[in-house]
Amino acid sequence: MESYDEGGQGIAYNDSDPQQRGQFHRQREGVDVGDAASASDGRFVGWINDGEWLEYTSEIVPGIYDFTLSVADPANASGIIRMLVGGVEVGTVNVPVTGNWTKFEDVTLENVDLSAYSGRHIFRLEFINGSFNLDAITSTAAGSGTPGNGGTSTQLSRVGWNVTASTSRDVNNAIDGIASSRWATRATQRAGQTFTIDLGAIRNVDRIVLDSGGNPNDYPRGYIVRVSDDGINYRDVTSGNGDSAVTDISFAGQTARHIQIEQTGSSNVNWWSIHEVNLYGKN
């Protein structure tokens, strides 16, 4: 939750107290970020006051979703989180009493209809009454259940994703929902080039689809897929070679937050391009 949009007070967030009380993330900004072993990545947004809000720019695949928020409230029992997409309210959820500032429990905002949305949009979380902490938010197809509990492999929502690569230019084009745009290495393929996805929370993943779209020869000549819970310690899960415009990679289901594809092949002619990347997992 601490990876909110850049832009500052009144643009990417509203924080009523300019002091950064947690001092654990983006310390020159006002959003209060604390640390706790019970938080999903060791950090959480805290010291929340009535009327504050955070914004996140994410890519939307049209559909109906359940959003699960991890919250902690020692005693207040009156906190409410309101979600807006593109400035339109899509739902609210009440924050329960959990008994401790760092005892996080899940609440779910169900059946959020995003069927009319596609591509990049701004999600805003508005906090009513405050006096609670917020750890994480995840999304699943409505009615599919909690990630990692078995079920059918379905396409994962790209809400909350953050992508990085060995060549950073245009990296978000790979998740913008626009088939004609792309991320590319801007150099011929060589071993060691990488594309990495931070899902924002631990998810179950068992398939990756890389579409090179309008540049059908820019598929990876070789690849290794790695996953990680913390973005530091990765483990290899599969490897192979691309041979067409769409590289469809399936593997045994993994629970992880970070997914990395590393180029292991080479080409003296073609770049490595991704017009769209989609992930699938069992929910």
Side-chain angles (χ1 to χ4, degrees), residues 21-265:
R21 293 185 178 277
Q23 293 293 309
F24 286 102
H25 184 68
R26 291 164 64 167
Q27 295 180 9
R28 295 184 179 180
E29 299 180 350
V31 177
D32 304 307
V33 178
D35 70 326
S38 57
S40 57
D41 64 353
R43 295 181 294 196
F44 62 88
V45 174
W47 295 270
I48 293 173
N49 292 319
D50 181 41
E52 296 183 338
W53 49 263
L54 296 169
E55 288 190 344
Y56 304 83
T57 300
S58 296
E59 306 299 325
I60 298 177
V61 176
I64 300 176
Y65 296 94
D66 293 339
F67 287 86
T68 300
L69 300 96
S70 180
V71 297
D73 179 350
N76 182 43
S78 62
I80 299 172
I81 299 175
R82 174 190 291 137
M83 178 183 289
L84 301 93
V85 179
V88 178
E89 181 179 320
V90 296
T92 62
V93 65
N94 294 320
V95 178
V97 172
T98 66
N100 189 286
W101 285 112
T102 56
K103 182 182 179 183
F104 292 97
E105 295 182 3
D106 290 343
V107 292
T108 302
L109 177 56
E110 297 181 335
N111 298 315
V112 177
D113 189 352
L114 301 182
S115 302
Y117 296 85
S118 181
R120 187 174 301 178
H121 292 275
I122 294 176
F123 282 73
R124 176 184 286 194
L125 298 180
E126 294 184 346
F127 308 125
I128 301 170
N129 296 331
S131 296
F132 56 86
N133 291 339
L134 178 62
D135 173 27
I137 180 171
T138 59
S139 62
T140 58
S144 66
T146 303
N149 286 344
T152 303
S153 185
T154 58
Q155 184 172 323
L156 302 185
S157 166
R158 291 188 282 197
V159 172
W161 286 15
N162 181 56
V163 290
T164 56
S166 51
T167 303
S168 60
R169 182 174 174 182
D170 298 328
V171 68
N172 286 313
N173 285 354
I175 59 170
D176 64 1
I178 303 173
S180 59
S181 68
R182 65 169 173 163
W183 165 81
T185 53
R186 299 186 173 273
T188 54
Q189 294 184 34
R190 66 180 187 277
Q193 296 165 330
T194 59
F195 187 90
T196 305
I197 306 165
D198 177 354
L199 302 176
I202 298 288
R203 302 293 304 274
N204 179 278
V205 182
D206 59 21
R207 182 183 173 206
I208 302 170
V209 178
L210 307 175
D211 187 349
S212 59
N215 300 86
N217 293 317
D218 285 5
Y219 56 85
R221 297 308 190 263
Y223 59 79
I224 292 176
V225 174
R226 299 186 175 97
V227 300
S228 171
D229 297 335
D230 58 11
I232 299 173
N233 301 296
Y234 281 86
R235 57 188 185 274
D236 296 354
V237 295
T238 193
S239 61
N241 303 296
D243 59 10
S244 65
V246 177
T247 304
D248 196 330
I249 308 168
S250 295
F251 46 87
Q254 305 289 319
T255 54
R257 172 170 173 167
H258 303 267
I259 313 295
Q260 184 177 87
I261 305 102
E262 180 176 340
Q263 172 73 249
T264 60

Side-chain angles (χ1 to χ4, degrees), residues 1-37:
M1 296 309 302
E2 66 273 9
S3 297
Y4 51 88
D5 285 353
E6 297 183 353
Q9 171 67 24
I11 299 174
Y13 64 83
N14 176 49
D15 190 280
S16 59
D17 180 356
Q19 179 182 354
Q20 218 278 29
R21 293 185 178 277
Q23 293 293 309
F24 286 102
H25 184 68
R26 291 164 64 167
Q27 295 180 9
R28 295 184 179 180
E29 299 180 350
V31 177
D32 304 307
V33 178
D35 70 326

